[in-house]
Amino acid sequence: MKKIIALIAAVALVLSLSACFMPNANNNSDSSSEQANAADVTSYDKDFDGLVKYITDRGSNYEKMDIYYDLLGADNGARIVLNKNAFVEVYDFSGASSATADSANASKAKDILNAVRENGKFKPIEDGAELTAAITDSGKYVLAWDASRSFDYTGKVVTDELKENW
C-alpha cells in the first residue's frame, strides 16, 4: 500500500512540475490580439497621446507613468512599464525646433535627437545608463528603452509599423 501511495505522489509531482514548464497555450491568442491592435493603428490620433495610447492598448497590464521629460528638452513624455523588467519611454520633441537656439533645453533636445539618429542610443542623464532609442518617421517622437534590462522585449514592442505611423 505504501508503494502505491508513493507512486501516486511521484506521478502527481511530475505532472505538477511539467505543467510549470509547458508553453503557454494562450500565446496564439496574445499574438492574434496584438495583430488586431496593430492592424487598427489608423484609429489612433497621430499625436503624442495617440502614440502612448496605442502602446498601452497593445497589452492588458501596461502602466503609464509620468517622467521628467522637460530635463531632456522634450515637450512631453511618459514611461510605459510593459512588465517588471521592461519599459519604453516616449518623448515628444515636436516643438524642439521652435525653441530658441540659445536655450539649454533646446540644446539638450538637439543633442539627444542627433545621438539617436547617429547611433540609436542616448544618455538621459550624464552619469546614467545609456538607452536604446528610435525616432519615429515624423521626427517628432523618440522611443527609448534599456535593452540590457528588457532582454530586447521592448524592441519587439517598438515596431516599424509604430515608427512609420507617428
Side-chain angles (χ1 to χ4, degrees):
M1 185 68 173
K2 288 182 182 179
K3 289 182 181 181
I4 293 173
I5 292 174
L7 180 63
I8 292 172
V11 169
L13 178 64
V14 168
L15 290 175
S16 66
L17 288 176
S18 66
C20 293
F21 296 105
M22 292 195 53
N24 188 352
N26 294 332
N27 283 348
N28 291 339
S29 65
D30 288 346
S31 64
S32 64
S33 68
E34 281 185 28
Q35 289 172 351
N37 285 338
D40 202 45
V41 71
T42 57
S43 67
Y44 292 88
D45 292 336
K46 299 305 179 228
D47 59 8
F48 175 80
D49 293 329
L51 175 58
V52 170
K53 182 157 177 43
Y54 175 75
I55 296 171
T56 56
D57 283 354
R58 291 184 61 143
S60 59
N61 295 323
Y62 294 176
E63 177 187 350
K64 179 184 173 246
M65 300 169 56
D66 292 328
I67 54 175
Y68 293 103
Y69 57 84
D70 51 337
L71 297 176
L72 303 179
D75 301 318
N76 205 343
R79 175 181 274 205
I80 302 162
V81 179
L82 307 173
N83 63 37
K84 67 180 181 176
N85 291 319
F87 66 87
V88 63
E89 291 179 352
V90 182
Y91 295 100
D92 177 3
F93 287 101
S94 58
S97 60
S98 65
T100 58
D102 59 352
S103 165
N105 283 346
S107 176
K108 182 71 173 174
K110 187 184 226 181
D111 290 346
I112 287 171
L113 291 169
N114 287 336
V116 173
R117 283 186 189 107
E118 289 172 14
N119 61 20
K121 296 181 179 193
F122 77 96
K123 281 189 172 188
I125 56 174
E126 212 169 295
D127 295 332
E130 192 169 54
L131 298 178
T132 302
I135 298 178
T136 59
D137 287 355
S138 69
K140 295 179 181 180
Y141 309 106
V142 170
L143 309 161
W145 64 96
D146 184 349
S148 67
R149 285 188 55 202
S150 65
F151 308 105
D152 205 32
Y153 173 77
T154 312
K156 293 175 183 153
V157 172
V158 181
T159 62
D160 289 335
E161 180 177 11
L162 184 147
K163 291 185 283 186
E164 290 168 5
N165 284 284
W166 273 273

